[in-house]
Amino acid sequence: MPRQLVVFTVTLVVMLVTPVTVALAIDPANQTPDLLFDEAQTVYYGNLARRNQHLPPLRWNRQLTHAARWFAWDSVENRSAPYCGHQDTNGQWPSDRAPLFGYLGRSGAENAICGYATPQAAINGWLNSPGHRANLLNADHREIGLGYYRRQSDGRGYIAQKFGNDPVYAPVVIEHEAPNTLNPDVALYIYQREAKSSFAALGPATEMMISTNSCFSGASWQPFATETRVRLPEGEGWRTVYVKTRDAAGATQVVSDTIYLGSQFPITELSATLSDRQPAVTLTGLAHPAFSQVQFSLGWLVDETFSTFRLLWGTGERVADPMAWGGHAFRLGLDNMESSAWVFEYRPVTFADQPLVAYIRLKVTDNTSSAEVARFSVRGGEEYGLLRLRGSDFTAAGQYQEFALPFTYRRGDDFLIFQFWRSGNTEVFIDAVTIFTAPQPISDPLTFAVPGGNYRGQGVWVRYTDGTAFTALEEASARYSFRQQIVLAQRNAELPAPLTFAHSCAQPNWYVAQAAPWLTGTSDHGMVHVSVDQQGLTNGVYDGTIIFAAPDNDFRLTVPVRLLVVDRLYASFMPLVGR
């Protein structure tokens, strides 16, 4: 049967579908090497076609690829006669399959070839068909899945190409998604984050840092740009480029892409280079000297820049404020008896039925009053608050302070609403509301099950709390810890030899951020050295840590050390046995 093209084009919509387990007769995670290479080449050739139309490249995605592979297999093996279409034998369409295979972004557009074709022939066929061409060259797409299937007994095959765009994920793509390169100087395309369309979304990136190691050693912040070049480490092998972006509020995200530097790359390892998502993220190094509970946020913040923020009554305006996150705040003025503003989101699925805490960041121009000056409430299925604030609840005038209000947005309600009031004789400045999970006990490591199950490299904010008091938010740093090292030393004698560790991220510019008085350390490329000085210590056991930090990012390396100081060390000689 001659090959045929079939196109399925839809407007991308958010699929509010919980992924479910699909009964499969194949494992779409496994692909034969020859067809895996076909898939990689098809992604690359498609991106070259987009480049010729001045469009950004698409990032190869794992979930979309699994959905495409299964559909290609289903179109051959579960049909007695050759098939050409987009409905699978379960009666489902492209927009159904993507979320069933775990893709939680917008999806639905799909191209297909009803037979086997080489990668270049497939791309040429799609480019010469108006509907397929429109899908392949759609500027709204950011990720792609490719599924090849070819039955060995008779050569009957099928190709499926799926497109997606996940609003929480801004990909980076090396060299148009080529599998390999011979030139270590490579081009990067870095997608800008989408405009903030939900309380859970990050704002557009204003800065970025780029590194060829996940620790970002030696990297520094620079203005965000969509296109740049980077030099890969010399030698032959897989090379990964990491890009960390942050928005005006400081919310970060780390994304990456991988390419093989050299000609003879292992085709079977291509599957490890696809973009992916995770339902949870595991954190280490969480600890606080006073608080035993912790809360998390993936940069969930809403302020006066959100599209639905508006003044309800009274007087108010957006004002420049260098003390506010992002440099602006909303001022509720004194010209009326009372002023009020609100901000809302329609059906925020990420937060549905999750116990959460809203932290409202406010300041007042006068904190001397013992009467109410401001109120805050949350509505989403029921009303939480009113949180009534007196002037004296603020530690200082003209200084931002955060107040906590627990809430749960109920799925059956259409809107989640934050409302603010100026109710006294002082101006009230609204900076932002940050949203955190409910407190949970600290453990190390701790696995944070992400609401919505769509973790894609977002920076994790933490707050520590005892249920009443709480800390300021901070970003959970990348922390790497060695096991405790034990050093035996003789009091007031020669110093022990330094402890030396190999660490792929170690750089000469690391500094010691914290250390026990008897610990010192240095770092160079790939090696960390820790020295003990027992001079002046009495006999006993001393436990301490030394923490290395990078001066231009949030990297931390912790080395716990136990020092045993004794009166005298004795050398023991054992017989030498030769064999």
Side-chain angles (χ1 to χ4, degrees):
M1 174 182 176
R3 293 192 304 270
Q4 292 181 278
L5 303 178
V6 59
V7 62
F8 191 90
T9 307
V10 299
T11 301
L12 296 184
V13 295
V14 179
M15 296 301 301
L16 306 181
V17 180
T18 301
V20 298
T21 300
V22 184
L24 303 174
I26 64 161
D27 179 4
N30 293 322
Q31 179 62 288
T32 63
D34 57 335
L35 294 183
L36 178 61
F37 185 65
D38 282 347
E39 291 171 352
Q41 290 289 89
T42 305
V43 171
Y44 176 55
Y45 293 153
N47 280 338
L48 294 184
R50 289 174 64 89
R51 181 191 64 182
N52 293 339
Q53 299 300 317
H54 308 290
L55 294 169
L58 304 177
R59 181 74 169 92
W60 194 6
N61 174 265
R62 185 175 311 281
Q63 286 74 38
L64 292 174
T65 291
H66 288 181
R69 284 177 184 168
W70 179 86
F71 177 58
W73 169 87
D74 176 71
S75 298
V76 173
E77 297 293 352
N78 288 338
R79 295 186 185 271
S80 58
Y83 171 72
C84 204
H86 290 275
Q87 187 177 36
D88 61 42
T89 57
N90 293 326
Q92 294 165 330
W93 296 93
S95 57
D96 302 316
R97 286 191 292 273
L100 288 174
F101 282 84
Y103 191 76
L104 301 183
R106 300 189 288 257
S107 61
E110 180 178 271
N111 286 344
I113 289 182
C114 310
Y116 175 79
T118 63
Q120 191 63 70
I123 294 298
N124 291 342
W126 287 327
L127 289 174
N128 289 321
S129 168
H132 298 85
R133 182 183 180 90
N135 276 348
L136 181 58
L137 302 182
N138 190 326
D140 291 334
H141 298 153
R142 293 190 171 197
E143 294 185 276
I144 189 170
L146 249 298
Y148 268 72
Y149 185 74
R150 191 178 193 184
R151 188 162 59 193
Q152 290 194 358
S153 62
D154 58 4
R156 183 174 154 194
Y158 209 89
I159 305 172
Q161 182 185 50
K162 295 188 65 63
F163 303 93
N165 183 341
D166 188 345
V168 308
Y169 180 63
V172 57
V173 183
I174 304 174
E175 287 293 339
H176 308 285
E177 208 70 312
N180 69 308
T181 181
L182 301 180
N183 183 1
D185 182 33
V186 295
L188 292 187
Y189 189 90
I190 306 164
Y191 276 90
Q192 175 61 283
R193 304 175 189 173
E194 292 192 353
K196 190 175 177 68
S197 58
S198 74
F199 290 179
L202 305 180
T206 57
E207 294 180 290
M208 66 181 184
M209 64 169 63
I210 301 172
S211 180
T212 54
N213 66 75
S214 60
C215 309
F216 289 89
S217 301
S220 58
W221 289 107
Q222 57 187 287
F224 177 82
T226 56
E227 295 185 76
T228 187
R229 301 192 71 87
V230 67
R231 183 83 177 180
L232 302 176
E234 298 294 337
E236 182 165 343
W238 292 107
R239 299 290 184 264
T240 300
V241 177
Y242 301 88
V243 177
K244 185 174 186 177
T245 57
R246 67 181 176 190
D247 60 19
T252 65
Q253 183 172 40
V254 176
V255 297
S256 65
D257 194 11
T258 300
I259 193 169
Y260 192 87
L261 180 57
S263 58
Q264 302 299 318
F265 65 95
I267 293 174
T268 57
E269 297 177 9
L270 281 170
S271 292
T273 69
L274 277 62
S275 67
D276 209 345
R277 73 161 186 90
Q278 302 294 333
V281 57
T282 298
L283 305 169
T284 62
L286 298 173
H288 194 275
F291 297 148
S292 61
Q293 296 180 299
V294 66
Q295 300 171 265
F296 301 108
S297 173
L298 297 184
W300 300 327
L301 177 147
V302 60
D303 60 13
E304 83 290 342
T305 64
F306 198 77
S307 60
T308 63
F309 192 104
R310 63 197 60 181
L311 182 70
L312 290 175
W313 61 78
T315 59
E317 60 181 341
R318 186 176 189 234
V319 295
D321 185 348
M323 297 177 64
W325 293 335
H328 289 84
F330 195 86
R331 180 184 66 87
L332 293 176
L334 293 172
D335 293 346
N336 294 79
M337 294 291 292
E338 183 178 86
S339 298
S340 182
W342 74 0
V343 62
F344 61 87
E345 182 180 351
Y346 179 70
R347 295 184 179 177
V349 178
T350 299
F351 300 131
D353 303 319
Q354 300 275 344
L356 301 165
V357 180
Y359 288 90
I360 171 66
R361 193 168 189 258
L362 305 171
K363 74 176 179 180
V364 294
T365 53
D366 183 351
N367 72 326
T368 60
S369 174
S370 59
E372 179 187 302
V373 297
R375 300 197 302 271
F376 174 65
S377 75
V378 179
R379 278 179 282 165
E382 57 186 283
E383 184 164 5
Y384 299 87
L386 295 170
L387 179 64
R388 300 177 182 272
L389 301 173
R390 300 167 298 174
S392 55
D393 291 329
F394 291 81
T395 303
Q399 179 176 304
Y400 281 106
Q401 188 168 330
E402 291 182 285
F403 301 90
L405 181 59
F407 74 97
T408 300
Y409 164 70
R410 301 299 181 187
R411 192 180 299 270
D413 196 87
D414 282 344
F415 295 96
L416 174 60
I417 302 170
F418 298 149
Q419 188 167 355
F420 321 87
W421 288 264
R422 183 219 28 98
S423 51
N425 294 320
T426 179
E427 291 182 327
V428 175
F429 291 78
I430 306 163
D431 184 3
V433 179
T434 56
I435 303 170
F436 278 75
T437 59
Q440 64 185 89
I442 298 171
S443 63
D444 190 13
L446 188 152
T447 298
F448 166 38
V450 173
N454 200 22
Y455 180 72
R456 305 206 68 180
Q458 303 96 315
V460 180
W461 286 347
V462 298
R463 290 184 191 268
Y464 297 99
T465 181
D466 61 4
T468 303
F470 53 88
T471 65
L473 69 83
E474 61 184 80
E475 183 165 295
S477 300
R479 290 180 170 90
Y480 297 80
S481 298
F482 289 107
R483 295 191 179 197
Q484 185 183 62
Q485 306 298 310
I486 299 177
V487 180
L488 191 61
Q490 183 172 309
R491 181 165 52 92
N492 296 325
E494 184 179 349
L495 302 183
L499 302 168
T500 300
F501 310 94
H503 195 286
S504 61
C505 300
Q507 296 292 321
N509 64 345
W510 283 10
Y511 66 94
V512 175
Q514 179 182 328
W518 41 271
L519 282 175
T520 57
T522 60
S523 172
D524 56 29
H525 290 287
M527 303 301 292
V528 175
H529 310 281
V530 175
S531 299
V532 168
D533 184 354
Q534 79 275 26
Q535 302 297 321
L537 298 179
T538 60
N539 291 356
V541 178
Y542 298 84
D543 288 320
T545 59
I546 183 169
I547 300 175
F548 292 86
D552 44 19
N553 59 61
D554 56 11
F555 176 82
R556 294 292 187 273
L557 175 78
T558 301
V559 182
V561 179
R562 169 166 287 185
L563 171 62
L564 290 80
V565 180
V566 297
D567 269 328
R568 187 170 176 82
L569 293 178
Y570 294 91
S572 176
F573 298 93
M574 301 298 291
L576 177 64
V577 178
R579 296 185 184 276

